[in-house]
Amino acid sequence: MTQAPFSVKGQAGPASAAAASGAPGGPAAAVHAETAGPSGLSGPPAAPAAASPGSKAALLRRLAGELRAAVISAAWLTFLALPLVVFRINSAFGKIDYLWGRLPKLAAVTFLATLAWRFLLRRTAFSRVKEAVSEAGGPPPEGARGPAGRSWLSLLDRAPAKKALFLALAAFLLSVPFWTSPYVVLILITALIYITLGLGLNIVVGVAGLLNLGYAAFFGVGAYTFGLLHSGLGLGFWACLPLGALSATVLGLLLGIPVLRLSGDYLAIVTLGFAEIFRLVLVNVDFTNGPRGIRNIPPPSLFGIDLNGAVKPFLAGKGLLHPDMDLNKVLIYFIILAIVALTVLCVYRLENSRLGRAWLALREDEVACQAMGINRTRAKLTAFALGSTWAGLAGVVFASQITFISPASFDFMLSVMVLSIVVLGGMGSIPGVMIGAAVLILLPEYLREFQDYRMLIFGLIMVLMMVFRPQGIIPGTRRVYLYSPSPGAGGGAAPSAGDGEGQGEGPAAPSPAGASSAPAAPAGPAAPS
Amino acid sequence: MELFLNLCVSGLTKGSVYALIALGYTMVYGIIALINFAHGEIYMIGAFTSLIFSMALGALGLSGWGLLFAVGFFAVAYCAMYGWTVEKIAYRPLRGQSRLAPLISAIGMSIFLQNYVQLVQTPNFLPFPDLIPDLGLKGGVSRYASQTQLAIVAATAVCMVALTLFIKKTRLGMAMRAVSQDPVMARLSGVNIDRVISATFVIGSMLAAVGGLLIGNYAHQTDFFTGFLAGMKAFTAAVLGGIGSIPGAVAGALILGFSESLAAGYISSDYEDVVAFVLLIAILTLRPEGIMGSATAQKV
């Protein structure tokens, strides 16, 4: 046999695809999930339509079973939530308010939620089975993408579309301050800060697979570096920007060195504990001004130009600016936009570097990664420190935007928010994180009535995403090495082999409709070799 | 000397409550190697349901021991159901996936439960009534320990003994030990793993409910956020003693309770909460297997 060529191809794959098939007896386990899953919360599983699945009676019976199971589950959940939802403590009068009016709403919500839950669970189980089958059947050409990966998103894979989209987005973002209100600019600054945070945390959690629950502390270090250096030494924004990033990096290293020997879940809890220590120290120490925080943090300067005095009348006179716009905020907007661009570039380059691949290996399997000669400690430490750097940068910008920082801004909820951004968008995926941040930060701004439910929804998102779509909205692309049995020279015999060597777009996609049958076209040439 | 003794008693009290929560962490970790972040929230729900039922049943005319036990029954029952349901929803569908997935799901569940209670009840601190009836203590003991403290320590001791007997003597306890040693082998010998895992969550949640009821009586207040800190500390205790080990969790909880009380008494109460986290980082860095755990080689 001649040496088999491997072709490299970017391919979307859930981060857990490997793990799913790694369970004892990949497809069998998945099939088990299919049968065990929909039995849901309680009650017997819906009777499988044994006779003819297409017949109307069977369908109705299945529907009835499904409804009955949903009613049982909803009743259970309602019963469970009853004392907390209906018996509200009225502490002012030391008695209970019985809010029976909440009961029908509660029942309706639980019923709909259970229906949706069961439907999604069934769908997920089905796609997992399909995935496992196509994985077991041969090289995973397109099937491994899962059903959603092949939707409209795949349009964006093409280079011209990507370029056009990118240019449009850049033009849009650059022009925003000149035609919107100050309020929009402020929200966008917040969103961009969270995008930076998300991208930084993405290196740690998404790429290297280290769960960092203390990300807020590194953000806080950046902000406090600026605040303290300004109030103590009178340093300005531009001097503090690198210093803030540096101090966050150093702190990341200092925390990283002792704790990175720990495995995933211990690491999570240590970073969480560390962030709490950081916050408690900020509250209790004198020179940070305790819970009162630091006030009057200045905006960045631009070569000493008085932006609001000199430039603003000029621009506003030409109708290019909202009359109430604060040009300092516009400057911050452009700075954070540049930081996001820089971050995207760095993260993208890092992911495709030697170090980035070491991180991926670390995420997938620590032992195997060590066996391949990767210095585990160093890879972890760099991921940790680099992730912190971006938190520090974002922290400095945050401080200058908000002009007032206090320990309360850097609590666990911030870490949770950034984590849910990464989880929602897709761990390890740059566009995913950006979309996740946009959704989670911008949406609550526009849906004010949901403001109270924000954290509730964040928690829910984390659970739902993990159960139904662990790869996120836009899964990270990962390199897949395709094995094609015959070398390119002997092209005549097997046309599909030639396709395998090409980039695999267009005609190479052998199962466009996502045919679930494994021994379809692609498996044929791959099996004998 | 009097201060020292007082601090020891308060340390013992706190340690007992931490132990009740820590057992839930350590049992779940022992069986499915998951940090159940939502466990602290179950404890918080325990405190809330205790408060709700004490007020509701108190209005119906119950009082004294009857009220205490009725409230305990409802709190324990509800928390058991919550624990069971949380496992079904947030962890069971993720069985067999990468380790990060259930962990993130657990954090999400914890955030969800916190905010759920905040939204349907109140974001404010709530006063908690004294439910433990007057024991009529006199003389030497009562100088150092209040009757609430004694009741907490006694109740914890009863729970520990019951748990130990359950784990050692019953079939389900034996199945639990088997699953924590080797889940695959246990399944092969006919143990219903799903049922064992559910039972573990239920028992852990029941203990947490007892903890929630007792700490409410001790601290005389509760709010939706208590579960976070208590959960963190109980987890620290579990790690301190060697996660997965039941006597270890109790020992770790007592050590943590003592060191917190002593630090609060002799250094500054501002840093009381820092002690737990410093202890956690120190123990994980120096001896990750805990004081009673044993280092295990990683299987490839």
Side-chain angles (χ1 to χ4, degrees), chain A residues 357-396:
Chain A
R357 280 176 296 184
W359 288 339
L360 284 179
L362 194 70
R363 177 184 78 187
E364 297 300 325
D365 192 328
E366 277 197 23
V367 180
C369 156
Q370 265 184 312
M372 297 303 288
I374 291 167
N375 185 337
R376 190 176 65 157
T377 314
R378 201 163 67 189
K380 277 186 177 179
L381 211 55
T382 43
F384 215 66
L386 274 173
S388 319
T389 310
W390 271 287
L393 274 180
V396 176

mmCIF file of all heavy atoms in Angstrom, chain A residues 357-396:
data_model
loop_
_atom_site.group_PDB
_atom_site.id
_atom_site.type_symbol
_atom_site.label_atom_id
_atom_site.label_comp_id
_atom_site.label_asym_id
_atom_site.label_seq_id
_atom_site.Cartn_x
_atom_site.Cartn_y
_atom_site.Cartn_z
ATOM 1 N N ARG A 357 -2.981 24.240 19.443
ATOM 2 C CA ARG A 357 -3.267 22.813 19.258
ATOM 3 C C ARG A 357 -2.948 22.024 20.521
ATOM 4 O O ARG A 357 -3.613 21.041 20.845
ATOM 5 C CB ARG A 357 -2.494 22.278 18.058
ATOM 6 C CG ARG A 357 -3.198 22.643 16.774
ATOM 7 C CD ARG A 357 -2.433 22.219 15.576
ATOM 8 N NE ARG A 357 -1.156 22.926 15.510
ATOM 9 C CZ ARG A 357 -0.300 22.804 14.525
ATOM 10 N NH1 ARG A 357 -0.562 22.005 13.528
ATOM 11 N NH2 ARG A 357 0.818 23.477 14.517
ATOM 12 N N ALA A 358 -1.920 22.497 21.243
ATOM 13 C CA ALA A 358 -1.629 21.855 22.525
ATOM 14 C C ALA A 358 -2.816 22.020 23.473
ATOM 15 O O ALA A 358 -3.194 21.086 24.179
ATOM 16 C CB ALA A 358 -0.375 22.473 23.146
ATOM 17 N N TRP A 359 -3.438 23.207 23.453
ATOM 18 C CA TRP A 359 -4.606 23.433 24.319
ATOM 19 C C TRP A 359 -5.742 22.494 23.957
ATOM 20 O O TRP A 359 -6.396 21.927 24.824
ATOM 21 C CB TRP A 359 -5.085 24.873 24.179
ATOM 22 C CG TRP A 359 -4.190 25.875 24.811
ATOM 23 C CD1 TRP A 359 -3.274 25.642 25.793
ATOM 24 C CD2 TRP A 359 -4.117 27.266 24.508
ATOM 25 N NE1 TRP A 359 -2.633 26.812 26.113
ATOM 26 C CE2 TRP A 359 -3.132 27.825 25.351
ATOM 27 C CE3 TRP A 359 -4.784 28.100 23.615
ATOM 28 C CZ2 TRP A 359 -2.801 29.165 25.316
ATOM 29 C CZ3 TRP A 359 -4.463 29.437 23.589
ATOM 30 C CH2 TRP A 359 -3.480 29.962 24.432
ATOM 31 N N LEU A 360 -5.973 22.366 22.640
ATOM 32 C CA LEU A 360 -7.057 21.482 22.210
ATOM 33 C C LEU A 360 -6.796 20.062 22.677
ATOM 34 O O LEU A 360 -7.695 19.374 23.160
ATOM 35 C CB LEU A 360 -7.194 21.515 20.690
ATOM 36 C CG LEU A 360 -7.865 22.746 20.115
ATOM 37 C CD1 LEU A 360 -7.914 22.646 18.609
ATOM 38 C CD2 LEU A 360 -9.267 22.864 20.677
ATOM 39 N N ALA A 361 -5.552 19.656 22.536
ATOM 40 C CA ALA A 361 -5.201 18.304 22.961
ATOM 41 C C ALA A 361 -5.442 18.149 24.453
ATOM 42 O O ALA A 361 -5.952 17.127 24.919
ATOM 43 C CB ALA A 361 -3.747 18.014 22.622
ATOM 44 N N LEU A 362 -5.099 19.202 25.180
ATOM 45 C CA LEU A 362 -5.286 19.194 26.629
ATOM 46 C C LEU A 362 -6.755 19.049 26.974
ATOM 47 O O LEU A 362 -7.133 18.321 27.890
ATOM 48 C CB LEU A 362 -4.757 20.517 27.173
ATOM 49 C CG LEU A 362 -4.529 20.632 28.661
ATOM 50 C CD1 LEU A 362 -3.355 19.784 29.034
ATOM 51 C CD2 LEU A 362 -4.261 22.074 29.017
ATOM 52 N N ARG A 363 -7.587 19.747 26.222
ATOM 53 C CA ARG A 363 -9.011 19.703 26.493
ATOM 54 C C ARG A 363 -9.574 18.305 26.223
ATOM 55 O O ARG A 363 -10.379 17.799 26.986
ATOM 56 C CB ARG A 363 -9.727 20.712 25.597
ATOM 57 C CG ARG A 363 -11.228 20.690 25.755
ATOM 58 C CD ARG A 363 -11.889 21.629 24.797
ATOM 59 N NE ARG A 363 -11.950 21.082 23.461
ATOM 60 C CZ ARG A 363 -12.366 21.773 22.402
ATOM 61 N NH1 ARG A 363 -12.715 23.015 22.522
ATOM 62 N NH2 ARG A 363 -12.405 21.219 21.223
ATOM 63 N N GLU A 364 -9.099 17.712 25.144
ATOM 64 C CA GLU A 364 -9.700 16.442 24.763
ATOM 65 C C GLU A 364 -9.255 15.295 25.668
ATOM 66 O O GLU A 364 -10.052 14.447 26.017
ATOM 67 C CB GLU A 364 -9.375 16.115 23.303
ATOM 68 C CG GLU A 364 -9.949 17.106 22.313
ATOM 69 C CD GLU A 364 -11.464 17.185 22.375
ATOM 70 O OE1 GLU A 364 -12.079 16.146 22.612
ATOM 71 O OE2 GLU A 364 -12.015 18.287 22.207
ATOM 72 N N ASP A 365 -7.995 15.265 25.998
ATOM 73 C CA ASP A 365 -7.513 14.152 26.821
ATOM 74 C C ASP A 365 -6.164 14.502 27.424
ATOM 75 O O ASP A 365 -5.155 14.564 26.717
ATOM 76 C CB ASP A 365 -7.380 12.882 25.968
ATOM 77 C CG ASP A 365 -7.168 11.662 26.840
ATOM 78 O OD1 ASP A 365 -6.544 11.802 27.898
ATOM 79 O OD2 ASP A 365 -7.631 10.590 26.460
ATOM 80 N N GLU A 366 -6.175 14.720 28.734
ATOM 81 C CA GLU A 366 -4.938 15.176 29.364
ATOM 82 C C GLU A 366 -3.832 14.136 29.294
ATOM 83 O O GLU A 366 -2.674 14.466 29.054
ATOM 84 C CB GLU A 366 -5.198 15.533 30.830
ATOM 85 C CG GLU A 366 -5.747 16.920 30.999
ATOM 86 C CD GLU A 366 -5.610 17.429 32.422
ATOM 87 O OE1 GLU A 366 -4.740 16.922 33.149
ATOM 88 O OE2 GLU A 366 -6.359 18.327 32.785
ATOM 89 N N VAL A 367 -4.208 12.893 29.515
ATOM 90 C CA VAL A 367 -3.183 11.857 29.571
ATOM 91 C C VAL A 367 -2.555 11.660 28.199
ATOM 92 O O VAL A 367 -1.323 11.636 28.045
ATOM 93 C CB VAL A 367 -3.790 10.544 30.098
ATOM 94 C CG1 VAL A 367 -2.735 9.483 30.145
ATOM 95 C CG2 VAL A 367 -4.375 10.762 31.468
ATOM 96 N N ALA A 368 -3.421 11.568 27.190
ATOM 97 C CA ALA A 368 -2.905 11.377 25.838
ATOM 98 C C ALA A 368 -2.050 12.572 25.427
ATOM 99 O O ALA A 368 -1.033 12.424 24.745
ATOM 100 C CB ALA A 368 -4.056 11.209 24.860
ATOM 101 N N CYS A 369 -2.483 13.748 25.868
ATOM 102 C CA CYS A 369 -1.765 14.956 25.522
ATOM 103 C C CYS A 369 -0.365 14.937 26.113
ATOM 104 O O CYS A 369 0.622 15.273 25.450
ATOM 105 C CB CYS A 369 -2.594 16.123 26.047
ATOM 106 S SG CYS A 369 -1.760 17.617 26.377
ATOM 107 N N GLN A 370 -0.259 14.458 27.347
ATOM 108 C CA GLN A 370 1.066 14.352 27.953
ATOM 109 C C GLN A 370 1.907 13.315 27.244
ATOM 110 O O GLN A 370 3.105 13.497 27.048
ATOM 111 C CB GLN A 370 0.926 13.951 29.414
ATOM 112 C CG GLN A 370 0.932 15.119 30.354
ATOM 113 C CD GLN A 370 0.891 14.638 31.780
ATOM 114 O OE1 GLN A 370 0.090 13.787 32.124
ATOM 115 N NE2 GLN A 370 1.752 15.191 32.606
ATOM 116 N N ALA A 371 1.243 12.242 26.866
ATOM 117 C CA ALA A 371 1.977 11.183 26.192
ATOM 118 C C ALA A 371 2.541 11.655 24.862
ATOM 119 O O ALA A 371 3.526 11.118 24.363
ATOM 120 C CB ALA A 371 1.059 9.979 25.976
ATOM 121 N N MET A 372 1.890 12.671 24.274
ATOM 122 C CA MET A 372 2.400 13.198 23.011
ATOM 123 C C MET A 372 3.540 14.184 23.223
ATOM 124 O O MET A 372 3.993 14.827 22.285
ATOM 125 C CB MET A 372 1.288 13.916 22.234
ATOM 126 C CG MET A 372 0.144 13.025 21.832
ATOM 127 S SD MET A 372 0.657 11.634 20.859
ATOM 128 C CE MET A 372 1.037 12.447 19.336
ATOM 129 N N GLY A 373 3.954 14.352 24.452
ATOM 130 C CA GLY A 373 5.110 15.200 24.708
ATOM 131 C C GLY A 373 4.775 16.652 24.927
ATOM 132 O O GLY A 373 5.642 17.514 24.818
ATOM 133 N N ILE A 374 3.512 16.940 25.228
ATOM 134 C CA ILE A 374 3.153 18.331 25.507
ATOM 135 C C ILE A 374 3.362 18.599 26.992
ATOM 136 O O ILE A 374 2.953 17.803 27.829
ATOM 137 C CB ILE A 374 1.680 18.580 25.117
ATOM 138 C CG1 ILE A 374 1.538 18.515 23.605
ATOM 139 C CG2 ILE A 374 1.205 19.924 25.628
ATOM 140 C CD1 ILE A 374 0.130 18.435 23.133
ATOM 141 N N ASN A 375 3.996 19.721 27.264
ATOM 142 C CA ASN A 375 4.187 20.106 28.653
ATOM 143 C C ASN A 375 2.864 20.599 29.191
ATOM 144 O O ASN A 375 2.428 21.709 28.900
ATOM 145 C CB ASN A 375 5.253 21.193 28.738
ATOM 146 C CG ASN A 375 5.582 21.553 30.166
ATOM 147 O OD1 ASN A 375 4.776 21.336 31.068
ATOM 148 N ND2 ASN A 375 6.752 22.095 30.370
ATOM 149 N N ARG A 376 2.243 19.760 29.999
ATOM 150 C CA ARG A 376 0.883 20.031 30.416
ATOM 151 C C ARG A 376 0.806 21.298 31.261
ATOM 152 O O ARG A 376 -0.039 22.158 31.037
ATOM 153 C CB ARG A 376 0.374 18.840 31.221
ATOM 154 C CG ARG A 376 -1.086 18.896 31.500
ATOM 155 C CD ARG A 376 -1.522 17.648 32.200
ATOM 156 N NE ARG A 376 -0.888 17.556 33.524
ATOM 157 C CZ ARG A 376 -1.380 16.840 34.520
ATOM 158 N NH1 ARG A 376 -2.461 16.139 34.346
ATOM 159 N NH2 ARG A 376 -0.785 16.783 35.689
ATOM 160 N N THR A 377 1.719 21.413 32.213
ATOM 161 C CA THR A 377 1.670 22.567 33.107
ATOM 162 C C THR A 377 1.835 23.854 32.325
ATOM 163 O O THR A 377 1.137 24.835 32.553
ATOM 164 C CB THR A 377 2.776 22.444 34.157
ATOM 165 O OG1 THR A 377 2.764 21.121 34.654
ATOM 166 C CG2 THR A 377 2.575 23.419 35.268
ATOM 167 N N ARG A 378 2.791 23.841 31.384
ATOM 168 C CA ARG A 378 3.031 25.071 30.654
ATOM 169 C C ARG A 378 1.828 25.436 29.780
ATOM 170 O O ARG A 378 1.432 26.594 29.705
ATOM 171 C CB ARG A 378 4.282 24.951 29.788
ATOM 172 C CG ARG A 378 4.821 26.317 29.437
ATOM 173 C CD ARG A 378 6.233 26.258 28.964
ATOM 174 N NE ARG A 378 6.324 25.576 27.685
ATOM 175 C CZ ARG A 378 7.489 25.235 27.127
ATOM 176 N NH1 ARG A 378 8.608 25.472 27.749
ATOM 177 N NH2 ARG A 378 7.503 24.632 25.968
ATOM 178 N N ALA A 379 1.245 24.438 29.144
ATOM 179 C CA ALA A 379 0.083 24.726 28.292
ATOM 180 C C ALA A 379 -1.056 25.300 29.131
ATOM 181 O O ALA A 379 -1.701 26.280 28.761
ATOM 182 C CB ALA A 379 -0.371 23.462 27.579
ATOM 183 N N LYS A 380 -1.294 24.686 30.287
ATOM 184 C CA LYS A 380 -2.370 25.177 31.154
ATOM 185 C C LYS A 380 -2.082 26.584 31.623
ATOM 186 O O LYS A 380 -2.948 27.452 31.613
ATOM 187 C CB LYS A 380 -2.496 24.276 32.385
ATOM 188 C CG LYS A 380 -3.301 23.040 32.174
ATOM 189 C CD LYS A 380 -3.464 22.345 33.507
ATOM 190 C CE LYS A 380 -4.337 21.124 33.406
ATOM 191 N NZ LYS A 380 -4.470 20.447 34.700
ATOM 192 N N LEU A 381 -0.846 26.796 32.030
ATOM 193 C CA LEU A 381 -0.479 28.091 32.591
ATOM 194 C C LEU A 381 -0.620 29.198 31.559
ATOM 195 O O LEU A 381 -1.135 30.276 31.857
ATOM 196 C CB LEU A 381 0.967 28.015 33.091
ATOM 197 C CG LEU A 381 1.318 28.874 34.288
ATOM 198 C CD1 LEU A 381 0.374 28.580 35.429
ATOM 199 C CD2 LEU A 381 2.740 28.608 34.710
ATOM 200 N N THR A 382 -0.171 28.935 30.335
ATOM 201 C CA THR A 382 -0.293 29.977 29.311
ATOM 202 C C THR A 382 -1.763 30.260 29.012
ATOM 203 O O THR A 382 -2.143 31.414 28.851
ATOM 204 C CB THR A 382 0.415 29.565 28.012
ATOM 205 O OG1 THR A 382 0.114 28.211 27.760
ATOM 206 C CG2 THR A 382 1.894 29.779 28.109
ATOM 207 N N ALA A 383 -2.567 29.210 28.953
ATOM 208 C CA ALA A 383 -3.990 29.442 28.698
ATOM 209 C C ALA A 383 -4.580 30.307 29.801
ATOM 210 O O ALA A 383 -5.297 31.271 29.546
ATOM 211 C CB ALA A 383 -4.731 28.114 28.624
ATOM 212 N N PHE A 384 -4.267 29.965 31.011
ATOM 213 C CA PHE A 384 -4.793 30.674 32.167
ATOM 214 C C PHE A 384 -4.345 32.130 32.157
ATOM 215 O O PHE A 384 -5.144 33.043 32.329
ATOM 216 C CB PHE A 384 -4.269 29.970 33.415
ATOM 217 C CG PHE A 384 -5.229 29.961 34.538
ATOM 218 C CD1 PHE A 384 -6.403 29.253 34.437
ATOM 219 C CD2 PHE A 384 -4.961 30.659 35.693
ATOM 220 C CE1 PHE A 384 -7.295 29.244 35.481
ATOM 221 C CE2 PHE A 384 -5.848 30.651 36.733
ATOM 222 C CZ PHE A 384 -7.014 29.942 36.638
ATOM 223 N N ALA A 385 -3.049 32.342 31.934
ATOM 224 C CA ALA A 385 -2.505 33.693 31.992
ATOM 225 C C ALA A 385 -3.025 34.532 30.830
ATOM 226 O O ALA A 385 -3.403 35.691 31.013
ATOM 227 C CB ALA A 385 -0.984 33.638 31.982
ATOM 228 N N LEU A 386 -3.077 33.932 29.640
ATOM 229 C CA LEU A 386 -3.556 34.706 28.491
ATOM 230 C C LEU A 386 -5.032 35.063 28.640
ATOM 231 O O LEU A 386 -5.439 36.174 28.308
ATOM 232 C CB LEU A 386 -3.347 33.916 27.203
ATOM 233 C CG LEU A 386 -1.966 34.074 26.585
ATOM 234 C CD1 LEU A 386 -1.800 33.120 25.428
ATOM 235 C CD2 LEU A 386 -1.782 35.503 26.105
ATOM 236 N N GLY A 387 -5.801 34.119 29.149
ATOM 237 C CA GLY A 387 -7.209 34.409 29.395
ATOM 238 C C GLY A 387 -7.355 35.586 30.351
ATOM 239 O O GLY A 387 -8.177 36.480 30.150
ATOM 240 N N SER A 388 -6.508 35.602 31.381
ATOM 241 C CA SER A 388 -6.580 36.694 32.359
ATOM 242 C C SER A 388 -6.185 38.020 31.740
ATOM 243 O O SER A 388 -6.710 39.069 32.122
ATOM 244 C CB SER A 388 -5.659 36.409 33.534
ATOM 245 O OG SER A 388 -5.729 35.077 33.900
ATOM 246 N N THR A 389 -5.232 37.995 30.797
ATOM 247 C CA THR A 389 -4.783 39.241 30.186
ATOM 248 C C THR A 389 -5.959 40.019 29.612
ATOM 249 O O THR A 389 -6.086 41.218 29.823
ATOM 250 C CB THR A 389 -3.806 38.929 29.048
ATOM 251 O OG1 THR A 389 -2.832 38.036 29.543
ATOM 252 C CG2 THR A 389 -3.150 40.181 28.548
ATOM 253 N N TRP A 390 -6.826 39.308 28.903
ATOM 254 C CA TRP A 390 -7.937 40.010 28.273
ATOM 255 C C TRP A 390 -8.930 40.511 29.294
ATOM 256 O O TRP A 390 -9.525 41.570 29.117
ATOM 257 C CB TRP A 390 -8.580 39.137 27.209
ATOM 258 C CG TRP A 390 -7.888 39.378 25.930
ATOM 259 C CD1 TRP A 390 -8.015 40.506 25.163
ATOM 260 C CD2 TRP A 390 -6.919 38.577 25.301
ATOM 261 N NE1 TRP A 390 -7.179 40.415 24.094
ATOM 262 C CE2 TRP A 390 -6.497 39.247 24.154
ATOM 263 C CE3 TRP A 390 -6.348 37.351 25.603
ATOM 264 C CZ2 TRP A 390 -5.547 38.737 23.285
ATOM 265 C CZ3 TRP A 390 -5.413 36.832 24.744
ATOM 266 C CH2 TRP A 390 -5.015 37.524 23.594
ATOM 267 N N ALA A 391 -9.066 39.762 30.360
ATOM 268 C CA ALA A 391 -9.943 40.264 31.424
ATOM 269 C C ALA A 391 -9.367 41.565 31.976
ATOM 270 O O ALA A 391 -10.116 42.516 32.253
ATOM 271 C CB ALA A 391 -10.060 39.221 32.522
ATOM 272 N N GLY A 392 -8.042 41.628 32.122
ATOM 273 C CA GLY A 392 -7.417 42.845 32.628
ATOM 274 C C GLY A 392 -7.644 44.021 31.695
ATOM 275 O O GLY A 392 -8.018 45.114 32.131
ATOM 276 N N LEU A 393 -7.441 43.797 30.410
ATOM 277 C CA LEU A 393 -7.674 44.851 29.414
ATOM 278 C C LEU A 393 -9.113 45.363 29.514
ATOM 279 O O LEU A 393 -9.365 46.564 29.599
ATOM 280 C CB LEU A 393 -7.460 44.297 28.006
ATOM 281 C CG LEU A 393 -6.054 44.289 27.413
ATOM 282 C CD1 LEU A 393 -6.109 43.709 26.020
ATOM 283 C CD2 LEU A 393 -5.504 45.689 27.376
ATOM 284 N N ALA A 394 -10.033 44.407 29.505
ATOM 285 C CA ALA A 394 -11.441 44.789 29.553
ATOM 286 C C ALA A 394 -11.738 45.535 30.842
ATOM 287 O O ALA A 394 -12.539 46.475 30.841
ATOM 288 C CB ALA A 394 -12.319 43.547 29.440
ATOM 289 N N GLY A 395 -11.071 45.136 31.919
ATOM 290 C CA GLY A 395 -11.302 45.791 33.198
ATOM 291 C C GLY A 395 -10.921 47.261 33.164
ATOM 292 O O GLY A 395 -11.649 48.112 33.685
ATOM 293 N N VAL A 396 -9.775 47.579 32.540
ATOM 294 C CA VAL A 396 -9.346 48.978 32.458
ATOM 295 C C VAL A 396 -10.382 49.786 31.669
ATOM 296 O O VAL A 396 -10.792 50.875 32.093
ATOM 297 C CB VAL A 396 -7.955 49.071 31.805
ATOM 298 C CG1 VAL A 396 -7.565 50.523 31.643
ATOM 299 C CG2 VAL A 396 -6.930 48.346 32.645
#
